[in-house]
Amino acid sequence: MKKFLIVLAVIALFASCDSSKKTVGTSPNIEDANDTIRIANEELEYEILIIEPGFNSWLASQQPRGFYGQTYLESRNVMWVQEYNMRVRNFQQFDTNLYQQEINYEYNVDYGYEVNYLLFNYFVYFQRTYKQKFPGSRG
């Protein structure tokens, strides 16, 4: 059986049904232990866990925070989350070891720069490491 590849364990995002963009009141709590990154915001009640060998060292070699604007990161994340979730639902066509659980990312919620930066970079890492291609990604 293939090595355990990805656990994007929990992504729970709860927001009200308001259609306007909401801003998160507090900055996220980010914990970095070995190759696990936890991003959480108790006020918005969401948590992202990235458990991926090599991700932290890879992230350190990428463009620094502030290089991309938040709008750019959000637009990529919306597109890539939709693609990722489609692949989770289409389990007969895509590897269930890679696409295990849907990501609940709401386009009308302002998760802040740090969340969008880390999620964007995780998707870049995921595509390069596992030779996946999402719409709008560069070679």
Side-chain angles (χ1 to χ4, degrees), residues 13 24 26-32 37-41 46 48 50 55-56 59-60 63-71 73-74 77 105 109-123:
L13 305 171
V24 177
T26 59
S27 59
N29 176 23
I30 300 171
E31 298 173 19
D32 184 352
I37 294 178
R38 178 181 179 265
I39 308 163
N41 182 311
Y46 75 81
I48 299 173
I50 300 173
F55 178 69
N56 288 343
L59 182 62
Q63 297 293 350
R65 286 161 175 80
F67 182 82
Y68 300 109
Q70 185 170 334
T71 302
L73 297 174
E74 288 171 340
N77 287 340
Y105 181 94
V109 175
D110 180 355
Y111 297 108
Y113 188 86
E114 187 68 12
V115 170
N116 281 288
Y117 174 80
L118 290 171
L119 184 58
F120 169 83
N121 276 293
Y122 177 74
F123 277 127

Side-chain angles (χ1 to χ4, degrees), residues 95-134:
D95 186 348
T96 56
N97 289 316
L98 292 177
Y99 301 98
Q100 296 180 358
Q101 181 177 345
E102 286 192 36
I103 299 170
N104 185 8
Y105 181 94
E106 297 181 29
Y107 70 91
N108 63 332
V109 175
D110 180 355
Y111 297 108
Y113 188 86
E114 187 68 12
V115 170
N116 281 288
Y117 174 80
L118 290 171
L119 184 58
F120 169 83
N121 276 293
Y122 177 74
F123 277 127
V124 172
Y125 175 84
F126 176 84
Q127 291 177 82
R128 290 180 182 172
T129 301
Y130 302 110
K131 299 182 181 17
Q132 303 296 298
K133 180 93 167 136
F134 290 171

